Amino acid sequence: MTPKTVRAWTLIHKWTSLICTAFLLMLCVTGLPLVFHDEIDGALNHEPKIVAQPGQRLATLDEVLDTALKARPGEVGLFMSFDIDRPVVNVTSGPRPDAPESQMHFASIDLTTGKILAPGGAAGGVMDVILRIHKDMFLGLPGLLFLGFMGLLFTAAIVSGLVVYPPFMRKLDFGTVRVSRSSRLKWLDYHNLLGVVTAAWVIVVGLTGVINTLSEPIIQVWKANELAAMTAPYKGKPVPTHLSSIGKAVATAQAAAPGMRVQFVAFPGGSFSSNHHYAVFMQGETPATEKLLTPALIDAETGQLTAMRRMPWYAQALLLSQPLHFGDYGGLPLKILWALLDVVTIVVLVTGLYLWLSKRRGGEAS
Protein backbone atom coordinates (compact mmCIF):
# COMPACT_ATOMS: atom_id res chain seq x y z
CA MET A 1 0.00 0.00 0.00
CA THR A 2 1.46 3.35 -1.02
CA PRO A 3 1.89 6.21 1.48
CA LYS A 4 -0.70 8.22 -0.45
CA THR A 5 -3.26 5.41 -0.09
CA VAL A 6 -2.52 5.07 3.62
CA ARG A 7 -3.03 8.82 4.10
CA ALA A 8 -6.37 8.65 2.27
CA TRP A 9 -7.61 5.79 4.45
CA THR A 10 -6.34 7.59 7.54
CA LEU A 11 -8.38 10.66 6.63
CA ILE A 12 -11.45 8.50 6.08
CA HIS A 13 -10.95 6.91 9.48
CA LYS A 14 -10.40 10.26 11.17
CA TRP A 15 -13.41 12.13 9.82
CA THR A 16 -15.93 9.30 9.84
CA SER A 17 -14.98 8.65 13.47
CA LEU A 18 -15.19 12.29 14.51
CA ILE A 19 -18.59 12.86 12.91
CA CYS A 20 -20.26 9.85 14.53
CA THR A 21 -18.43 9.54 17.88
CA ALA A 22 -20.86 11.56 20.05
CA PHE A 23 -23.89 9.71 18.69
CA LEU A 24 -22.20 6.31 18.94
CA LEU A 25 -21.33 7.02 22.55
CA MET A 26 -24.99 7.77 23.21
CA LEU A 27 -26.01 4.53 21.47
CA CYS A 28 -23.48 2.47 23.42
CA VAL A 29 -24.46 3.97 26.78
CA THR A 30 -28.21 3.54 26.19
CA GLY A 31 -27.66 0.15 24.57
CA LEU A 32 -26.02 -1.25 27.72
CA PRO A 33 -29.20 -1.44 29.84
CA LEU A 34 -31.22 -2.48 26.80
CA VAL A 35 -29.12 -5.64 26.51
CA PHE A 36 -30.59 -6.66 29.87
CA HIS A 37 -34.09 -5.26 29.29
CA ASP A 38 -35.81 -8.56 30.15
CA GLU A 39 -33.90 -8.91 33.41
CA ILE A 40 -34.44 -5.27 34.38
CA ASP A 41 -38.16 -5.46 33.60
CA GLY A 42 -38.46 -8.64 35.63
CA ALA A 43 -36.62 -7.16 38.62
CA LEU A 44 -38.54 -3.87 38.73
CA ASN A 45 -41.99 -4.72 37.50
CA HIS A 46 -42.67 -7.50 40.05
CA GLU A 47 -45.16 -9.21 37.75
CA PRO A 48 -47.25 -11.81 39.58
CA LYS A 49 -46.24 -15.41 39.00
CA ILE A 50 -49.08 -17.11 37.14
CA VAL A 51 -49.08 -20.85 36.56
CA ALA A 52 -51.87 -22.87 34.97
CA GLN A 53 -52.57 -26.11 36.84
CA PRO A 54 -52.98 -29.37 34.89
CA GLY A 55 -56.57 -29.72 33.72
CA GLN A 56 -57.48 -26.20 34.79
CA ARG A 57 -59.98 -24.40 32.58
CA LEU A 58 -58.52 -21.28 31.00
CA ALA A 59 -60.44 -18.32 29.66
CA THR A 60 -61.07 -18.49 25.92
CA LEU A 61 -59.78 -15.77 23.60
CA ASP A 62 -63.34 -14.59 22.99
CA GLU A 63 -63.85 -14.26 26.74
CA VAL A 64 -60.57 -12.40 27.03
CA LEU A 65 -61.58 -9.94 24.32
CA ASP A 66 -65.00 -9.48 25.90
CA THR A 67 -63.43 -8.76 29.30
CA ALA A 68 -61.04 -6.17 27.85
CA LEU A 69 -63.75 -4.36 25.87
CA LYS A 70 -66.24 -4.33 28.75
CA ALA A 71 -63.63 -2.40 30.72
CA ARG A 72 -63.35 0.10 27.83
CA PRO A 73 -66.92 0.89 26.69
CA GLY A 74 -67.14 2.14 23.12
CA GLU A 75 -63.72 0.78 22.10
CA VAL A 76 -62.84 -1.98 19.64
CA GLY A 77 -60.08 -4.56 19.57
CA LEU A 78 -56.92 -3.59 17.70
CA PHE A 79 -54.30 -6.19 18.63
CA MET A 80 -54.02 -9.32 20.73
CA SER A 81 -50.64 -10.65 21.84
CA PHE A 82 -49.53 -13.62 23.93
CA ASP A 83 -46.99 -13.94 26.75
CA ILE A 84 -44.67 -16.88 26.14
CA ASP A 85 -43.72 -17.65 29.74
CA ARG A 86 -47.11 -17.34 31.47
CA PRO A 87 -50.82 -17.81 30.63
CA VAL A 88 -51.52 -14.15 29.91
CA VAL A 89 -53.09 -12.56 26.84
CA ASN A 90 -52.72 -8.85 26.09
CA VAL A 91 -55.42 -6.84 24.35
CA THR A 92 -54.85 -3.46 22.75
CA SER A 93 -58.04 -1.48 22.16
CA GLY A 94 -58.96 1.94 20.80
CA PRO A 95 -61.93 4.13 19.88
CA ARG A 96 -61.85 3.00 16.24
CA PRO A 97 -60.01 0.38 14.12
CA ASP A 98 -57.47 2.89 12.76
CA ALA A 99 -56.86 4.68 16.09
CA PRO A 100 -53.39 6.26 16.48
CA GLU A 101 -50.99 4.90 19.08
CA SER A 102 -51.72 7.81 21.44
CA GLN A 103 -55.35 6.63 21.74
CA MET A 104 -54.60 2.94 22.29
CA HIS A 105 -55.15 1.18 25.60
CA PHE A 106 -53.25 -1.94 26.70
CA ALA A 107 -54.68 -4.55 29.10
CA SER A 108 -53.28 -7.90 30.24
CA ILE A 109 -55.74 -10.67 31.13
CA ASP A 110 -54.88 -13.65 33.35
CA LEU A 111 -56.22 -16.76 31.59
CA THR A 112 -56.45 -18.67 34.87
CA THR A 113 -58.90 -16.17 36.41
CA GLY A 114 -60.18 -14.26 33.37
CA LYS A 115 -59.42 -10.99 35.15
CA ILE A 116 -57.44 -7.93 34.06
CA LEU A 117 -54.05 -7.69 35.73
CA ALA A 118 -52.84 -4.51 37.40
CA PRO A 119 -50.13 -2.59 35.48
CA GLY A 120 -46.68 -4.04 36.10
CA GLY A 121 -44.83 -1.00 37.43
CA ALA A 122 -42.34 1.70 36.49
CA ALA A 123 -39.67 -0.38 34.74
CA GLY A 124 -41.50 -0.35 31.43
CA GLY A 125 -41.63 3.43 31.48
CA VAL A 126 -37.94 3.83 32.21
CA MET A 127 -36.86 1.23 29.67
CA ASP A 128 -39.25 2.65 27.09
CA VAL A 129 -37.62 6.08 27.45
CA ILE A 130 -34.13 4.58 27.07
CA LEU A 131 -35.31 2.59 24.04
CA ARG A 132 -36.77 5.69 22.39
CA ILE A 133 -33.52 7.60 22.92
CA HIS A 134 -31.54 4.68 21.50
CA LYS A 135 -33.95 4.12 18.65
CA ASP A 136 -34.69 7.60 17.27
CA MET A 137 -33.93 10.24 19.96
CA PHE A 138 -37.68 10.99 20.08
CA LEU A 139 -37.47 12.35 16.51
CA GLY A 140 -39.43 9.61 14.74
CA LEU A 141 -38.42 8.60 11.23
CA PRO A 142 -35.90 11.48 10.77
CA GLY A 143 -34.15 10.36 13.96
CA LEU A 144 -34.14 6.75 12.80
CA LEU A 145 -32.60 7.60 9.44
CA PHE A 146 -30.06 9.97 11.00
CA LEU A 147 -28.84 7.31 13.43
CA GLY A 148 -28.75 4.84 10.55
CA PHE A 149 -26.41 7.19 8.71
CA MET A 150 -24.25 7.48 11.85
CA GLY A 151 -24.11 3.68 11.91
CA LEU A 152 -22.87 3.61 8.32
CA LEU A 153 -20.20 6.18 9.16
CA PHE A 154 -19.13 4.09 12.15
CA THR A 155 -18.86 1.00 9.95
CA ALA A 156 -16.70 3.00 7.54
CA ALA A 157 -14.55 4.12 10.49
CA ILE A 158 -14.02 0.51 11.61
CA VAL A 159 -13.21 -0.73 8.09
CA SER A 160 -10.78 2.12 7.46
CA GLY A 161 -9.19 1.48 10.87
CA LEU A 162 -8.60 -2.14 9.89
CA VAL A 163 -6.99 -0.99 6.65
CA VAL A 164 -4.55 1.42 8.29
CA TYR A 165 -3.67 -0.80 11.26
CA PRO A 166 -1.19 -3.12 9.42
CA PRO A 167 0.89 -0.22 7.95
CA PHE A 168 0.83 1.48 11.37
CA MET A 169 2.14 -1.70 13.03
CA ARG A 170 4.63 -2.68 10.33
CA LYS A 171 7.60 -2.21 12.69
CA LEU A 172 5.85 -3.67 15.75
CA ASP A 173 4.40 -7.00 16.74
CA PHE A 174 0.64 -7.36 16.57
CA GLY A 175 -1.01 -6.13 19.77
CA THR A 176 2.01 -4.22 21.06
CA VAL A 177 1.15 -1.56 23.64
CA ARG A 178 4.03 0.80 24.37
CA VAL A 179 3.25 1.34 28.05
CA SER A 180 6.68 2.86 28.77
CA ARG A 181 6.23 5.67 26.25
CA SER A 182 4.09 8.80 26.49
CA SER A 183 0.51 8.68 27.71
CA ARG A 184 -0.84 9.61 24.30
CA LEU A 185 1.18 6.90 22.54
CA LYS A 186 0.09 4.29 25.09
CA TRP A 187 -3.59 5.16 24.61
CA LEU A 188 -3.14 5.20 20.85
CA ASP A 189 -1.92 1.59 21.04
CA TYR A 190 -4.83 0.61 23.31
CA HIS A 191 -7.27 2.35 20.95
CA ASN A 192 -5.90 0.52 17.92
CA LEU A 193 -5.69 -2.88 19.60
CA LEU A 194 -9.17 -2.79 21.13
CA GLY A 195 -10.61 -1.48 17.86
CA VAL A 196 -9.11 -4.36 15.88
CA VAL A 197 -10.08 -7.04 18.42
CA THR A 198 -13.73 -5.92 18.56
CA ALA A 199 -14.04 -5.02 14.86
CA ALA A 200 -16.10 -8.05 13.81
CA TRP A 201 -18.61 -7.58 16.66
CA VAL A 202 -18.87 -3.84 16.08
CA ILE A 203 -19.55 -4.33 12.37
CA VAL A 204 -22.29 -6.90 13.12
CA VAL A 205 -23.95 -4.70 15.74
CA GLY A 206 -23.49 -1.59 13.62
CA LEU A 207 -25.00 -3.07 10.47
CA THR A 208 -27.91 -4.70 12.34
CA GLY A 209 -28.51 -1.31 13.94
CA VAL A 210 -28.60 0.30 10.50
CA ILE A 211 -31.14 -2.31 9.35
CA ASN A 212 -33.24 -1.60 12.46
CA THR A 213 -33.35 2.12 11.61
CA LEU A 214 -35.00 1.15 8.34
CA SER A 215 -37.81 -0.69 10.14
CA GLU A 216 -40.55 1.78 9.23
CA PRO A 217 -39.70 1.91 5.48
CA ILE A 218 -39.33 -1.89 5.40
CA ILE A 219 -42.73 -2.42 7.04
CA GLN A 220 -44.34 0.11 4.70
CA VAL A 221 -42.88 -1.71 1.67
CA TRP A 222 -44.25 -5.01 3.00
CA LYS A 223 -47.69 -3.49 3.50
CA ALA A 224 -47.71 -1.87 0.05
CA ASN A 225 -46.62 -5.04 -1.73
CA GLU A 226 -47.07 -8.35 0.08
CA LEU A 227 -50.01 -7.44 2.32
CA ALA A 228 -51.76 -5.57 -0.50
CA ALA A 229 -51.41 -8.60 -2.79
CA MET A 230 -52.76 -10.96 -0.13
CA THR A 231 -55.83 -8.78 0.50
CA ALA A 232 -56.43 -7.57 -3.09
CA PRO A 233 -59.67 -9.58 -3.58
CA TYR A 234 -61.17 -7.77 -0.59
CA LYS A 235 -60.06 -4.26 -1.52
CA GLY A 236 -62.73 -1.65 -0.83
CA LYS A 237 -64.82 -3.80 1.48
CA PRO A 238 -65.80 -2.13 4.77
CA VAL A 239 -65.04 -3.50 8.23
CA PRO A 240 -67.75 -6.08 9.01
CA THR A 241 -70.39 -4.98 11.50
CA HIS A 242 -70.13 -8.36 13.21
CA LEU A 243 -66.78 -10.14 13.57
CA SER A 244 -66.43 -13.91 13.72
CA SER A 245 -64.85 -15.59 16.74
CA ILE A 246 -61.27 -14.48 17.45
CA GLY A 247 -60.65 -17.85 19.09
CA LYS A 248 -61.71 -19.75 15.97
CA ALA A 249 -59.60 -17.44 13.78
CA VAL A 250 -56.51 -18.22 15.84
CA ALA A 251 -57.30 -21.95 15.84
CA THR A 252 -57.66 -21.88 12.05
CA ALA A 253 -54.28 -20.20 11.65
CA GLN A 254 -52.63 -22.69 14.02
CA ALA A 255 -54.10 -25.62 12.11
CA ALA A 256 -52.64 -24.21 8.88
CA ALA A 257 -49.18 -23.77 10.43
CA PRO A 258 -48.38 -26.83 12.59
CA GLY A 259 -45.28 -26.43 14.74
CA MET A 260 -45.76 -22.69 15.05
CA ARG A 261 -47.32 -20.51 17.75
CA VAL A 262 -49.17 -17.21 17.60
CA GLN A 263 -47.19 -14.07 18.35
CA PHE A 264 -49.93 -11.50 17.83
CA VAL A 265 -53.21 -10.85 16.02
CA ALA A 266 -54.08 -7.63 14.16
CA PHE A 267 -57.81 -6.95 14.01
CA PRO A 268 -59.75 -5.81 10.91
CA GLY A 269 -59.35 -2.17 9.93
CA GLY A 270 -55.81 -1.74 11.26
CA SER A 271 -52.65 -1.08 9.29
CA PHE A 272 -51.33 -4.65 9.76
CA SER A 273 -54.44 -6.30 8.34
CA SER A 274 -57.26 -5.32 5.98
CA ASN A 275 -60.81 -4.14 6.62
CA HIS A 276 -61.96 -7.72 6.19
CA HIS A 277 -59.32 -9.84 7.94
CA TYR A 278 -57.81 -10.95 11.17
CA ALA A 279 -54.05 -11.07 10.52
CA VAL A 280 -52.63 -13.83 12.72
CA PHE A 281 -48.84 -13.59 12.87
CA MET A 282 -47.23 -16.99 13.55
CA GLN A 283 -43.69 -17.59 14.79
CA GLY A 284 -41.47 -20.66 15.17
CA GLU A 285 -41.07 -22.42 18.50
CA THR A 286 -37.27 -22.71 18.52
CA PRO A 287 -34.67 -19.99 19.24
CA ALA A 288 -33.64 -20.13 15.58
CA THR A 289 -37.16 -19.67 14.18
CA GLU A 290 -39.09 -17.71 16.82
CA LYS A 291 -38.07 -14.39 15.25
CA LEU A 292 -39.37 -15.34 11.78
CA LEU A 293 -43.02 -14.44 11.20
CA THR A 294 -45.62 -15.90 8.87
CA PRO A 295 -48.90 -13.97 8.64
CA ALA A 296 -52.14 -15.89 8.10
CA LEU A 297 -55.19 -13.90 6.95
CA ILE A 298 -58.53 -15.08 8.30
CA ASP A 299 -61.79 -13.76 6.82
CA ALA A 300 -63.35 -11.80 9.69
CA GLU A 301 -66.90 -12.70 8.59
CA THR A 302 -66.60 -16.38 7.77
CA GLY A 303 -63.57 -17.36 9.85
CA GLN A 304 -61.95 -19.04 6.82
CA LEU A 305 -58.25 -18.90 5.95
CA THR A 306 -57.83 -16.79 2.77
CA ALA A 307 -54.04 -16.41 2.50
CA MET A 308 -50.80 -17.30 4.28
CA ARG A 309 -47.37 -16.23 3.11
CA ARG A 310 -43.96 -15.99 4.77
CA MET A 311 -42.54 -12.52 5.16
CA PRO A 312 -40.20 -11.54 2.27
CA TRP A 313 -36.42 -11.59 2.66
CA TYR A 314 -36.07 -7.90 3.50
CA ALA A 315 -38.63 -8.20 6.32
CA GLN A 316 -36.96 -11.39 7.57
CA ALA A 317 -33.61 -9.55 7.63
CA LEU A 318 -35.21 -6.93 9.85
CA LEU A 319 -36.77 -9.53 12.15
CA LEU A 320 -33.44 -11.34 12.55
CA SER A 321 -31.39 -8.19 13.03
CA GLN A 322 -33.45 -6.85 15.94
CA PRO A 323 -32.58 -9.59 18.47
CA LEU A 324 -29.03 -10.00 17.14
CA HIS A 325 -28.41 -6.29 17.72
CA PHE A 326 -29.10 -6.73 21.46
CA GLY A 327 -27.69 -10.25 21.88
CA ASP A 328 -31.10 -11.85 22.41
CA TYR A 329 -30.24 -15.24 20.90
CA GLY A 330 -28.10 -17.00 23.51
CA GLY A 331 -29.60 -16.18 26.88
CA LEU A 332 -27.75 -14.46 29.71
CA PRO A 333 -24.17 -15.59 28.76
CA LEU A 334 -24.45 -13.96 25.32
CA LYS A 335 -25.95 -10.84 26.87
CA ILE A 336 -23.00 -10.57 29.27
CA LEU A 337 -20.59 -10.93 26.34
CA TRP A 338 -22.54 -8.25 24.42
CA ALA A 339 -22.33 -5.92 27.45
CA LEU A 340 -18.56 -6.43 27.83
CA LEU A 341 -17.98 -5.73 24.15
CA ASP A 342 -20.20 -2.65 24.45
CA VAL A 343 -18.01 -1.35 27.30
CA VAL A 344 -14.86 -2.00 25.25
CA THR A 345 -16.42 -0.07 22.34
CA ILE A 346 -17.08 2.86 24.69
CA VAL A 347 -13.37 2.78 25.62
CA VAL A 348 -12.42 2.80 21.93
CA LEU A 349 -14.67 5.80 21.26
CA VAL A 350 -13.47 7.76 24.30
CA THR A 351 -9.80 7.09 23.58
CA GLY A 352 -10.29 8.11 19.95
CA LEU A 353 -11.79 11.40 21.09
CA TYR A 354 -8.97 11.87 23.61
CA LEU A 355 -6.33 11.25 20.93
CA TRP A 356 -7.87 13.83 18.61
CA LEU A 357 -8.23 16.47 21.33
CA SER A 358 -4.70 15.92 22.66
CA LYS A 359 -3.26 16.28 19.16
CA ARG A 360 -5.16 19.53 18.65
CA ARG A 361 -3.66 20.80 21.92
CA GLY A 362 -0.23 20.09 20.58
CA GLY A 363 0.29 16.62 22.06
CA GLU A 364 3.13 14.41 20.98
CA ALA A 365 3.06 12.94 17.54
CA SER A 366 2.54 9.22 17.38
Side-chain angles (χ1 to χ4, degrees), residues 44-252:
L44 298 182
N45 277 342
H46 304 297
E47 294 179 334
K49 186 176 182 180
I50 302 172
V51 179
Q53 301 302 320
Q56 180 180 7
R57 181 191 180 278
L58 301 180
T60 67
L61 296 186
D62 292 285
E63 291 171 341
V64 165
L65 180 61
D66 186 57
T67 297
L69 296 184
K70 280 183 177 178
R72 306 288 296 183
E75 294 193 350
V76 296
L78 303 178
F79 297 99
M80 182 177 282
S81 61
F82 305 80
D83 285 10
I84 294 176
D85 55 352
R86 58 181 190 156
V88 171
V89 173
N90 311 292
V91 176
T92 302
S93 60
R96 60 183 190 276
D98 59 348
E101 185 176 350
S102 60
Q103 296 180 11
M104 294 180 183
H105 178 265
F106 184 86
S108 298
I109 289 89
D110 179 355
L111 294 182
T112 64
T113 65
K115 296 180 179 179
I116 298 176
L117 296 171
V126 173
M127 296 305 291
D128 285 347
V129 169
I130 295 175
L131 179 60
R132 281 297 305 275
I133 295 172
H134 186 86
K135 179 183 176 182
D136 60 14
M137 302 182 296
F138 289 96
L139 296 176
L141 183 58
L144 275 169
L145 298 179
F146 176 80
L147 290 178
F149 179 60
M150 292 299 104
L152 288 176
L153 287 181
F154 189 47
T155 302
I158 295 300
V159 171
S160 57
L162 291 174
V163 172
V164 300
Y165 185 67
F168 175 81
M169 296 294 292
R170 63 184 179 276
K171 296 181 180 179
L172 300 170
D173 293 332
F174 175 82
T176 298
V177 178
R178 291 163 286 184
V179 294
S180 61
R181 302 287 295 275
S182 68
S183 176
R184 184 179 186 279
L185 198 58
K186 176 182 68 177
W187 282 111
L188 175 63
D189 288 341
Y190 276 125
H191 173 82
N192 291 336
L193 176 60
L194 294 176
V196 169
V197 169
T198 60
W201 177 83
V202 170
I203 289 174
V204 168
V205 172
L207 290 180
T208 54
V210 170
I211 294 173
N212 290 342
T213 65
L214 299 175
S215 59
E216 290 189 24
I218 287 173
I219 291 172
Q220 292 303 322
V221 169
W222 172 76
K223 291 178 181 178
N225 293 284
E226 302 292 325
L227 183 59
M230 294 168 70
T231 61
Y234 297 84
K235 186 176 181 180
K237 286 192 174 185
V239 177
T241 55
H242 176 74
L243 300 181
S244 62
S245 163
I246 179 64
K248 290 182 179 179
V250 169
T252 298

Side-chain angles (χ1 to χ4, degrees), residues 261-285:
R261 61 178 174 232
V262 183
Q263 186 191 64
F264 74 97
V265 181
F267 282 65
S271 62
F272 281 85
S273 59
S274 76
N275 283 348
H276 208 75
H277 289 92
Y278 291 113
V280 183
F281 286 80
M282 313 293 292
Q283 62 181 159
E285 294 186 327

